[in-house]
C-alpha cells in the first residue's frame, strides 16, 4: 500500500499577535518566524511521522529548495515535487495569545502544478493505494479521477472551502474531510441537492476542542476532545487527517484511528508552528496511553 498526496507546499510566516486584528486595525506582532507548511505538506509530514511512506506530488518555485529539504528530513518522498516558474506558495499566519489563528494564503506554484506531471506521477497507483488531496492545488479533479479509475481510495480535504470544488470532487472521493464550519456550510449548500452523493462518502468532521466524528456507512463514530493548553491550533486538522488516514489505510478499527488522530492533534495544538510542530508516533502513543 502506498500513499500519494497531491498537495500544497507553503512557506508559513507566523506572527505572534496579542489578538487577531479586527478590520481596519493595526496590531504589532511580538515575534515572527518561518517554517514549512501548506495543508498538503502538513498532511504528508503527519503521515510520515506516523510511520508510513508517503509520496508528495506538487510544485515549488526556485525559492523552494529549503522546503523540499525539510519535507525530506521528515521522511516524505519529494521526488515528484517539480520546480516551476514563479514563487512558491506562502501563508501569512497570525496566531493570537489564546492560540487562535487567521491565515492569508498566496497559492503561488501550488496552483501551477503541470497536469501531465500529476498524471505521470500517479501512473503506478494501484487499488491498494490511497490518494490524498486538498483544495490548495490545481489538478485535484484530474488526480481524483485518475486514482478512482485505478481503483485507489481518494481522500479530499475541502479546504479552503469552496462548494463548487466539493461538487466537482464528490463523484471521485471515498473520504471527505471537513471542519465544523465547513460541514455546516456544505450541508446548507448541498444537503438537498447532493444528499445521495454525500451519503455515499465517509465524512471525517473535526470539531476543534470537541474532538471529531467519522460518519461511515450510516454510523457516526465519535471521539471527544482532549483537555490541553492550546498555544497554536494551526495545522491541527492536517495533523488529525494525516494520523487518521495512516491508521485507517492500514485497516485499524475506526475508534482506534480516531483516538490516535485525536491525540496527535491535541499534542500539536500545545506547540507553536505547523509541519515542525506535528508530533511523532512515539510521542502520540505515549500521550494517549
Ligand atoms: O492548515 C494549516 C495550513 O494552512 C498552513 O500550514 C498554511 O500554509 C495553510 O495552507
Amino acid at each position: 500500500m502506498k500513499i500519494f498526496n497531491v498537495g500544497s507546499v507553503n512557506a508559513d510566516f507566523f506572527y505572534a499577535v496579542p489578538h487577531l486584528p479586527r478590520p481596519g486595525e493595526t496590531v504589532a506582532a511580538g515575534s515572527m518566524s518561518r517554517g514549512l507548511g501548506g495543508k498538503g505538506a502538513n498532511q504528508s509530514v503527519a503521515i510520515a511521522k506516523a510511520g508510513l511512506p508517503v509520496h508528495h506530488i506538487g510544485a515549488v518555485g526556485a525559492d523552494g529548495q529549503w522546503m523540499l529539504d525539510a519535507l525530506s528530513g521528515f521522511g516524505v518522498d519529494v521526488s515528484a515535487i517539480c520546480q516551476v516558474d514563479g514563487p512558491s506558495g506562502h501563508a501569512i499566519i497570525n496566531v493570537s495569545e489564546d492560540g487562535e489563528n487567521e491565515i492569508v494564503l498566496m497559492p503561488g506554484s501550488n496552483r501551477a502544478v503541470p497536469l501531465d506531471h500529476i498524471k505521470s506521477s500517479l501512473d503506478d497507483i494501484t487499488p491498494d493505494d490511497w490518494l490524498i488531496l486538498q483544495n490548495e492545488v490545481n489538478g485535484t479533479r484530474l488526480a481524483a479521477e485518475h486514482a478512482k479509475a485505478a481503483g485507489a481510495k481518494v481522500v479530499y480535504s475541502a479546504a479552503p472551502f469552496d462548494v463548487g470544488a466539493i461538487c466537482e470532487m464528490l463523484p471521485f472521493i471515498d473520504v471527505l474531510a471537513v471542519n465544523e464550519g465547513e460541514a455546516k456550510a456544505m450541508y446548507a449548500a448541498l444537503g438537498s441537492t447532493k444528499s445521495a452523493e454525500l451519503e455515499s462518502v465517509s465524512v471525517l468532521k473535526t470539531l476543534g476542542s470537541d474532538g471529531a466524528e467519522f460518519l461511515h456507512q450510516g454510523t457516526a463514530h465519535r471521539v471527544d476532545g482532549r483537555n490541553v493548553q492550546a498555544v497554536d491550533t494551526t495545522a491541527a486538522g492536517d495533523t488529525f487527517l494525516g494520523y487518521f488516514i495512516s491508521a485507517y489505510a492500514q485497516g485499524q478499527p475506526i475508534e482506534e484511528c480516531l483516538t490516535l488522530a485525536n491525540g496527535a492533534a491535541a499534542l500539536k495544538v500545545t506547540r507553536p508552528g505547523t509541519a515542525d510542530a506535528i508530533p511523532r508516533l512515539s510521542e502520540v502513543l505515549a500521550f494517549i496511553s
Side-chain angles (χ1 to χ4, degrees), residues 94-101 230-234 269:
N94 295 328
V95 182
S96 65
E97 276 170 3
D98 59 1
E100 281 308 319
N101 69 71
V231 301
D232 183 0
T233 58
T234 319
V269 306

Side-chain angles (χ1 to χ4, degrees), residues 10 12 37-39 42 91 93 103 105 136 234-235 238 274:
N10 286 337
D12 282 351
K39 294 188 195 313
N42 296 337
I93 305 178
I103 302 177
L105 191 62
E136 285 189 350
T234 319
D238 303 331
T274 43

